Amino acid sequence: MGGGGANRTGKSGTSKGEFATVPGGQNAVARENYSFAAGRQAEAFAQGAFVWGDSSTDTVQSLTDDEVVF
């Protein structure tokens, strides 16, 4: 993981999140395998998802495998 705060990869108590990345932001989550979440309130809850949040307080979320969301 990179900079920022309150970011995390994987899901507590599971093997999920292998090869997941959070390069920075705040409250970003890359929970599933091969997922990527960056920015504020970005949540990659699906395998292979790429999620990019902005400076708003709205959550940007992916629930579908291999989805890209900005």
Side-chain angles (χ1 to χ4, degrees):
M1 262 190 289
N7 298 317
R8 61 192 186 280
T9 59
K11 184 176 178 183
S12 180
T14 72
S15 62
K16 294 183 177 191
E18 290 185 357
F19 312 109
T21 301
V22 176
Q26 181 181 28
N27 296 321
V29 182
R31 188 170 79 183
E32 298 296 325
N33 297 341
Y34 313 106
S35 60
F36 177 98
R40 187 176 189 187
Q41 301 290 108
E43 299 178 346
F45 287 164
Q47 181 168 293
F50 182 97
V51 181
W52 196 276
D54 57 19
S55 65
S56 75
T57 58
D58 295 335
T59 298
V60 181
Q61 189 177 77
S62 173
L63 300 174
T64 304
D65 287 355
D66 304 314
E67 182 177 34
V68 177
V69 180
F70 293 90

